[in-house]
């Protein structure tokens, strides 16, 4: 019976869950930034949070993805020219 009651009582954990989700997002974006600063663009792209998980941050995530992709392409061209 307690379980049924939980479905209808306001979720006290909601604020905590949101805070945790924000922390995970912030941690991921910080890691992305560090990787990009070290020209590890492929790894940074892989670390990006999924926009589906953060609809309110989807634009920021997409903008960051485009920036990283451009950086990766430029870096790949640069390293390719050194290897010729």
């Amino acid at each position: 019976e307690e379980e049924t009651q939980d479905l209808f009582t306001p979720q006290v954990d909601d604020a905590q869950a949101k805070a945790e989700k924000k922390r995970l997002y912030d941690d991921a974006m910080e890691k992305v930034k560090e990787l990009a600063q070290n020209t590890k663009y492929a790894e940074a792209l892989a670390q990006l949070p999924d926009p589906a998980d953060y609809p309110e941050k989807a634009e920021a995530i997409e903008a960051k993805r485009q920036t990283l992709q451009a950086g990766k392409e430029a870096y790949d061209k640069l390293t390719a020219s050194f290897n010729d």
Side-chain angles (χ1 to χ4, degrees):
E1 182 156 323
E2 272 183 40
E3 283 181 39
T4 321
Q5 191 181 355
D6 281 351
L7 294 173
F8 299 105
T9 51
Q11 285 294 314
V12 181
D13 295 343
D14 198 39
Q16 202 173 354
K18 281 184 179 158
E20 176 66 7
K21 193 171 180 180
K22 181 185 183 321
R23 188 187 66 73
L24 290 171
Y25 173 83
D26 291 343
D27 287 355
M29 291 305 267
E30 188 59 36
K31 184 121 179 92
V32 165
K33 189 170 112 181
E34 286 173 28
L35 288 165
Q37 286 170 344
N38 292 304
T39 62
K40 295 182 176 175
Y41 296 107
E43 290 159 60
L45 284 162
Q47 289 288 327
L48 270 181
D50 185 346
D53 292 338
Y54 300 92
E56 71 287 356
K57 303 270 192 193
E59 280 182 36
I61 295 169
E62 180 56 25
K64 179 61 96 177
R65 191 189 64 71
Q66 289 176 1
T67 303
L68 290 169
Q69 192 62 48
K72 180 183 182 308
E73 287 166 15
Y75 184 72
D76 288 350
K77 279 184 193 156
L78 193 64
T79 52
S81 69
F82 281 123
N83 294 334
D84 283 349

